[in-house]
Amino acid sequence: MTAAAVQAPARRWSREARVNTALSLGLLAVPLLAMAAGEPFWVTLATRAAILALAGVGLNLALGYGGLVSFGHAAFFGLGGYAAGVLASHGMSGRPIVTWPLEIGGTTQMLAIWPVAVAAAALGALVIGALSLRTTGVFFIMITLAFGQMAFYFMVSWPAYGGEDGLPTYVRSRFPGVNTMAPLQFFAIAYGWLMLALWLSWRIAGSRLGLALQAARQNRQRLAAVGIRPKSVLLGAFVLSGALTGLAGALYTDLNRFVSPAMLSWQTSGELLVLVILGGVGRLFGPVAGAMLFIALEHLLGGISDYWQFFLGAMLLMVVLFARGGIMGALAGRDG
Amino acid sequence: MSLLLLIEQVLNGVQFGLMLFLMAAGLTLVFGVMGLINLAHGSLYMVGAFACAAVAAATGSFWLGLAAALGAAAAAGALVEVVVIRRLYNRDHLDQVLATFALILMFSEGTRWAFGSFPLYLDVPAVLAGSVTLPGGIVYPEFRLALIGVGLAVAAVLFWLIGRTRIGVRIRAGEADREMIAALGVDIGRLYTVVFALGAALAGLAGALVGTVQSVQVGMGEPVLILAFVVIVIGGIGSIRGALLGSLLVGLTDTLGRVLLPQAFALAMEASAANAVGSALASMSIYILMAAVLVWRPGGLFGAPA
């Protein structure tokens, strides 16, 4: 795994900063150019990339900085997604979600949906994390995968919100002063969140928590020896990571105006891992680069062959075997 | 519910558990000996099922299909080990997960390209197509009973192979200290390939047998793979005994949960709500079992403390 150094040498940092700026502007330029060219479909692709990147930024907190290989992040993505879907569908129909002990109704206001989605995902991450962190290494991978499947099968067999068929929400939720159904304006919301999450992630990486987290990845015994409990640090990062991924899930529901158990499937967990790794694990902008590449590949290869995932698999295999460090490693140098 | 129905469900649970054991045994051996987490194990299960379906359709013989399933899965396993897996032994688990995830994508799409997206169906061989009446008057399909027999036989052979033969000694020595047995003149590379192919053959056998009861389709392997992970987590990584016990626990919990939980809730609430809550809980039951085992013994029932 690429070691993620926070205090990188000034020379390299400037190179990585240039790459980061280019990626930010590149992702911003795609929808603007697409609207100018009259291709609104590309705006949707860019929005998808921004949302997946946001989920990846969340995963990167646990995976890149904490070294926690979570194969169950789809659970948090889906929890956020279902929180948004359930609230919005109740908000539209006017039926209350629960009537006892007090009546709680739905809402179609994003500002109300987001905190609920984040809280749901964070709570899920707290429970799953507390149980999974009892183990390490390969056990941790298998257990997060199993908990992800548990959430998946729960939503498949729970008939109230569409079960296997998923839950359509028909229109996007509202945001004050923004027409969320306009592709470019919805992109702006997703992009804004991505930038905010990147800033947050950067602040965390440089904070006391971030430093302790990296220490926990490198050597738990030493961290314990200086008086910090590795498990608490890792659990804190896991919850933050789940919360960010849950927020991305809520946006994803609004993008598609639909939420289904597919968001919770193990393939989603795998894809989130893949885009973080392809981009560069433990690198601030790794998930952004990875998500942009993933969406571009899906679209370009998907246009050439129905079996595009075969080529995605082959490429991923080559990257893992021979080109470690991902895109950020190639563009900005190793260990930047 | 009648006692007969309950006994029938217990038999179904044991049968499901033993098929899981065929998967879990290979996974746990590969992890125990090589320290490798192999997500593509489910793909080998699928390869076995498709080989069986294709050969059985071409020759009309289920038994030739079954032999083909074993051969194809073992060959695919050996090939994958030599070309890809070998490079991963000294990598961290993240690299292993990603590389074997990539293999899943390639296997799945390759199979979809070759056989299409529609499920194939296998006929139960004529000899085993009937039902038998067990003591107590339970009518049970012969083929499912045969699956229980095969599962038990494979378990017995594996215990004998690991515990009583020369190759078993080497496998156990490989788990304990790979440098040491290499120094003692054992070709460790070949041992790894053999163990991997053995695990693959077991997965292929399970795929062909379960494929006959259900259907053969792309993506059939991954749900079973994840259940096999649950089994290993419960049983303890690297332990064949743990894999057997874990498989039976998972098989029985899942099967009985699906039958009993909706009925249990029906005692307390109206039928449709009971069915909804019961089936939702039943689908989570094995994961709750896993969480309980983890809280109690983080290393699994037969594993070293994690």
Side-chain angles (χ1 to χ4, degrees):
Chain A
M1 191 187 303
T2 315
V6 184
Q7 266 94 23
R11 173 178 53 84
R12 287 240 194 100
W13 167 239
S14 70
R15 185 170 162 197
E16 179 154 358
R18 280 200 304 263
V19 173
N20 292 352
T21 313
L23 282 170
S24 312
L25 293 178
L27 183 57
L28 189 59
V30 170
L32 294 176
L33 291 175
M35 281 318 269
E39 297 270 1
F41 176 64
W42 282 87
V43 183
T44 308
L45 282 186
T47 314
R48 232 166 83 79
I51 294 173
L52 287 182
L54 177 61
V57 170
L59 176 59
N60 202 21
L61 269 181
L63 173 70
Y65 300 128
L68 296 172
V69 184
S70 165
F71 212 133
H73 256 54
F76 314 129
F77 195 57
L79 264 172
Y82 265 98
V86 168
L87 281 175
S89 79
H90 278 281
M92 263 177 286
S93 68
R95 279 180 301 118
I97 297 175
V98 287
T99 49
W100 189 89
L102 70 168
E103 190 166 306
I104 300 174
T107 172
T108 56
Q109 179 55 256
M110 283 186 185
L111 289 175
I113 287 176
W114 289 335
V116 176
V118 167
L123 191 67
L126 182 67
V127 174
I128 293 179
L131 283 169
S132 307
L133 279 168
R134 293 176 63 83
T135 63
T136 53
V138 71
F139 262 104
F140 185 84
I141 302 175
M142 291 184 190
I143 284 160
T144 46
L145 178 58
F147 278 125
Q149 283 300 98
M150 173 167 117
F152 172 76
Y153 282 118
F154 180 79
M155 281 328 294
V156 165
S157 55
W158 184 254
Y161 294 107
E164 211 167 344
D165 299 328
L167 178 69
T169 57
Y170 306 109
V171 288
R172 286 188 189 135
S173 296
R174 292 169 297 123
F175 188 86
V178 176
N179 173 14
T180 51
M181 290 306 281
L184 208 53
Q185 301 191 30
F186 186 69
F187 171 81
I189 293 177
Y191 187 78
W193 266 122
L194 174 63
M195 288 300 135
L196 205 60
L198 284 166
W199 176 78
L200 190 72
S201 175
W202 175 64
R203 289 303 302 254
I204 289 173
S207 73
R208 206 179 120 82
L209 173 68
L211 294 174
L213 188 59
Q214 306 209 30
R217 186 190 74 228
Q218 286 159 7
N219 194 326
R220 289 192 194 191
Q221 282 79 18
R222 281 196 186 172
L223 187 65
V226 298
I228 300 174
R229 287 183 22 208
K231 244 183 214 173
S232 317
V233 173
L234 289 168
L235 185 59
F238 196 76
V239 170
L240 275 172
S241 161
L244 273 182
T245 306
L247 177 66
L251 290 170
Y252 202 67
T253 295
D254 265 330
L255 171 69
N256 299 320
R257 286 164 281 159
F258 177 65
V259 53
S260 78
M263 265 177 88
L264 294 148
S265 68
W266 70 272
Q267 284 98 336
T268 306
S269 294
E271 282 169 9
L272 288 179
L273 274 178
V274 165
L275 66 88
V276 172
I277 308 298
L278 275 184
V281 63
R283 307 291 283 260
L284 185 62
F285 271 68
V288 182
M292 287 169 74
L293 177 72
F294 188 84
I295 296 290
L297 281 178
E298 184 181 56
H299 187 67
L300 296 177
L301 289 178
I304 298 168
S305 160
D306 284 343
Y307 309 105
W308 72 278
Q309 290 210 334
F310 182 88
F311 303 102
L312 178 71
M315 230 181 81
L316 178 62
L317 197 58
M318 292 300 132
V319 169
V320 174
L321 290 181
F322 304 114
R324 304 164 82 190
I327 304 171
M328 290 305 290
L331 292 180
R334 300 288 298 261
D335 299 348
Chain B
M1 117 181 292
S2 71
L3 184 65
L4 287 190
L5 206 58
L6 188 67
I7 296 176
E8 189 182 336
Q9 293 302 333
V10 168
L11 282 175
N12 282 342
V14 169
Q15 179 247 307
F16 178 41
L18 286 170
M19 289 301 108
L20 274 180
F21 170 70
L22 295 186
M23 280 292 279
L27 267 183
T28 205
L29 265 185
V30 166
F31 187 82
V33 178
M34 289 96 115
L36 177 99
I37 173 168
N38 178 23
L39 296 184
H41 206 63
S43 299
L44 299 166
Y45 173 90
M46 180 185 72
V47 165
F50 271 95
C52 183
V55 170
T59 63
S61 160
F62 176 81
W63 306 110
L64 281 179
L66 205 56
L70 279 169
L79 181 71
V80 163
E81 201 274 344
V82 170
V83 175
V84 178
I85 301 288
R86 195 163 268 208
R87 300 167 206 277
L88 297 170
Y89 293 139
N90 294 325
R91 299 289 193 86
D92 62 29
H93 292 315
L94 180 60
D95 283 355
Q96 298 174 349
V97 162
L98 286 168
T100 51
F101 181 74
L103 285 175
I104 293 184
L105 294 179
M106 297 175 74
F107 267 113
S108 292
E109 292 305 305
T111 313
R112 202 193 303 281
W113 175 75
F115 289 94
S117 299
F118 293 102
L120 306 178
Y121 294 94
L122 269 162
D123 289 324
V124 172
V127 197
L128 295 171
S131 301
V132 282
T133 309
L134 299 176
I138 302 159
V139 179
Y140 200 72
E142 279 176 357
F143 190 72
R144 281 178 180 265
L145 211 56
L147 292 194
I148 295 181
V150 169
L152 288 175
V154 169
V157 168
L158 263 184
F159 279 114
W160 169 78
L161 188 77
I162 306 284
R164 295 270 182 278
T165 63
R166 191 153 191 87
I167 180 118
V169 170
R170 287 181 177 175
I171 288 173
R172 279 180 288 140
E175 281 183 54
D177 193 331
R178 71 174 87 171
E179 277 85 17
M180 192 50 115
I181 79 155
L184 290 174
V186 174
D187 183 349
I188 195 99
R190 220 181 57 193
L191 178 71
Y192 283 3
T193 310
V194 167
V195 170
F196 201 86
L198 175 70
L202 289 178
L205 177 65
L209 294 177
V210 176
T212 310
V213 181
Q214 297 167 359
S215 64
V216 177
Q217 56 188 323
V218 173
M220 67 189 283
E222 281 69 43
V224 184
L225 171 84
I226 293 164
L227 288 182
F229 278 156
V230 172
V231 164
I232 307 184
V233 166
I234 289 176
I237 289 183
S239 162
I240 297 277
R241 225 163 21 133
L244 184 58
L245 185 72
S247 306
L248 291 173
L249 266 177
V250 166
L252 285 170
T253 308
D254 191 60
T255 310
L256 294 180
R258 273 172 214 289
V259 180
L260 296 180
L261 280 175
Q263 299 195 0
F265 280 99
L267 298 176
M269 48 174 96
E270 47 118 1
S272 69
N275 200 29
V277 175
S279 58
L281 258 187
S283 63
M284 297 167 73
S285 58
I286 52 168
Y287 304 103
I288 296 170
L289 172 75
M290 179 191 76
V293 169
L294 268 184
V295 170
W296 179 46
R297 286 184 99 145
L301 296 176
F302 286 95

